[in-house]
Amino acid sequence: MDRVDIFIANLYHSVENGSTDTFRETALRALGDLVDFDGALWGSGNYTSNVFHSVVTLGVEAGYPQALERTQGINPILPALLDNVGQAVDMRSVIGDSAFLQSPVYRRCFSRYGIERIVSYLAYDRRSHLYTLLSLYRFDADRPFTEDERCLFERAAYHLVAAAGHAFFLHMATGARPQSPAVHAAVCDDHGLLYQAQPSFVDLIEDRFESWSYERLPFTLPAPGETRVTHGLCIEVEALGDLFCVRIRREGPIDCLRGRDQEIVAGVCRGMTFKDIGRELELAPSTVSNRLYRVYRQLGVTNRSSLVRLVHRSA
């Protein structure tokens, strides 16, 4: 294996053993052993919002990400990145050194942070407008990135982005409660701006909210631990550091039941007797029986087996 293969293998291995909160910083530090740099930025967000929803930096002063956000209209590397999504772009291939030193983006941003050499990589989903920007910087103008380093960075950057997405979705799949294949997940900030999203999540939102513009989720997030039902969807949220994991599924027949009735139905689906359910819920067996028969009438079923079939179909 060459050193890039070793880097990639270690990267995916760290996904299963590390934390989503520290993954990007750890991965960038490991990248420094592959391509030498003085500073780095890993930012993600929604292209329509013009700001990073989440950003990690190494080696650059505080305030740099915000300064970079303000250069969107004058930064010549951005159009080149959009035209070459999935490819690493060296600033020198976009603008010559003398023109770069005279450019507004250099005077207003890069020179203030000592940045002289730049190579960047953009991953961008044109459907959802979600993007990830990876940039490496050098502070010495006499140390430009070589073509070999650009190629190494491009190869590594693809796997950095893929592994970061895998880290989030692995966390979703191994949460406290097992998830049905009918549950679809995304990661967003507290304003509902998407950071990562499963394609099936986007499909289901599109199906239920025809005028959705992709910029932010078309519903208000419930509090973590609560369930909200809207437009035929059940929505749950889990805190994930400074972000949130949002899980959605189609509303099923038992979602209209009150909490205690749902617990009784869950017990029936596990094959428990009225006595066992009553002991677990601290109810009399007769109370469990009476409530269950009311559930039968509400859901239009007549016995345990038809109730179980209905629940399984909805799941």
Side-chain angles (χ1 to χ4, degrees):
M1 296 175 65
D2 66 16
R3 60 190 184 124
V4 183
D5 290 330
I6 294 172
F7 168 81
I8 293 170
N10 290 337
L11 184 67
Y12 286 104
H13 180 71
S14 69
V15 166
E16 300 181 5
N17 298 286
S19 166
T20 55
D21 295 341
T22 60
F23 174 79
R24 288 178 297 166
E25 181 178 345
T26 301
L28 280 178
R29 293 189 185 280
L31 178 62
D33 295 330
L34 193 65
V35 180
D36 183 45
F37 58 81
D38 300 316
L41 176 142
W42 185 337
S44 300
N46 189 296
Y47 184 68
T48 60
S49 67
N50 298 328
V51 296
F52 295 118
H53 300 175
S54 184
V55 63
V56 170
T57 60
L58 287 180
V60 291
E61 296 179 11
Y64 172 70
Q66 293 72 33
L68 183 63
E69 288 169 350
R70 295 192 290 270
T71 69
Q72 189 174 65
I74 59 172
N75 194 338
I77 201 171
L78 182 56
L81 288 169
L82 288 169
D83 288 338
N84 296 275
V85 170
Q87 300 178 42
V89 176
D90 191 313
M91 180 67 90
R92 290 186 303 160
S93 69
V94 178
I95 183 172
D97 283 355
S98 59
F100 175 62
L101 295 176
Q102 299 299 318
S103 67
V105 69
Y106 178 78
R107 295 197 308 270
R108 298 180 192 177
C109 180
F110 296 131
S111 65
R112 296 183 179 183
Y113 293 90
I115 295 172
E116 300 291 335
R117 298 298 181 184
I118 306 163
V119 62
S120 296
Y121 176 96
L122 182 72
Y124 179 51
D125 183 342
R126 298 185 186 275
R127 179 189 183 197
S128 64
H129 302 299
L130 296 175
Y131 73 86
T132 296
L133 174 68
L134 284 158
S135 292
L136 303 183
Y137 308 114
R138 283 180 177 161
F139 302 154
D140 184 351
D142 293 330
R143 294 179 59 236
F145 290 98
T146 67
E147 177 61 15
D148 285 344
E149 288 174 326
R150 187 200 67 80
C151 292
L152 282 174
F153 175 53
E154 178 175 296
R155 186 175 167 192
Y158 171 85
H159 292 282
L160 286 167
V161 175
H166 182 57
F168 276 109
F169 294 127
L170 181 65
H171 169 85
M172 297 175 196
T174 57
R177 292 182 300 162
Q179 298 298 323
S180 160
V183 176
H184 315 281
V187 176
C188 71
D189 66 10
D190 57 354
H191 298 293
L193 294 167
L194 287 174
Y195 175 66
Q196 296 277 353
Q198 293 175 325
S200 59
F201 181 96
V202 176
D203 290 341
L204 190 51
I205 296 295
E206 279 185 333
D207 180 62
R208 296 307 172 95
F209 297 88
E210 294 182 359
S211 60
W212 184 38
S213 65
Y214 299 99
E215 183 174 351
R216 65 182 67 238
L217 293 175
F219 49 76
T220 303
L221 297 177
E226 296 182 359
T227 300
R228 174 167 295 157
V229 179
T230 181
H231 287 68
L233 297 178
C234 291
I235 305 161
E236 296 181 346
V237 168
E238 173 194 359
L240 199 64
D242 60 347
L243 300 172
F244 295 91
C245 173
V246 183
R247 295 184 175 92
I248 61 173
R249 59 179 173 81
R250 297 180 189 275
E251 183 182 9
I254 66 169
D255 290 311
C256 63
L257 303 178
R258 289 178 293 180
R260 186 49 59 91
D261 288 342
Q262 286 191 0
E263 292 175 322
I264 291 173
V265 170
V268 169
C269 291
R270 298 203 307 269
M272 298 172 66
T273 65
F274 291 158
K275 185 176 180 180
D276 292 336
I277 296 172
R279 184 183 301 111
E280 185 175 281
L281 301 181
E282 299 182 349
L283 297 173
S286 59
T287 301
V288 175
S289 175
N290 291 336
R291 296 188 73 142
L292 183 61
Y293 285 119
R294 287 201 299 271
V295 168
Y296 285 171
R297 292 195 298 271
Q298 188 172 348
L299 298 182
V301 298
T302 57
N303 53 49
R304 281 174 171 255
S305 59
S306 57
L307 173 64
V308 171
R309 286 195 297 270
L310 177 65
V311 171
H312 285 173
R313 283 201 303 271
S314 67

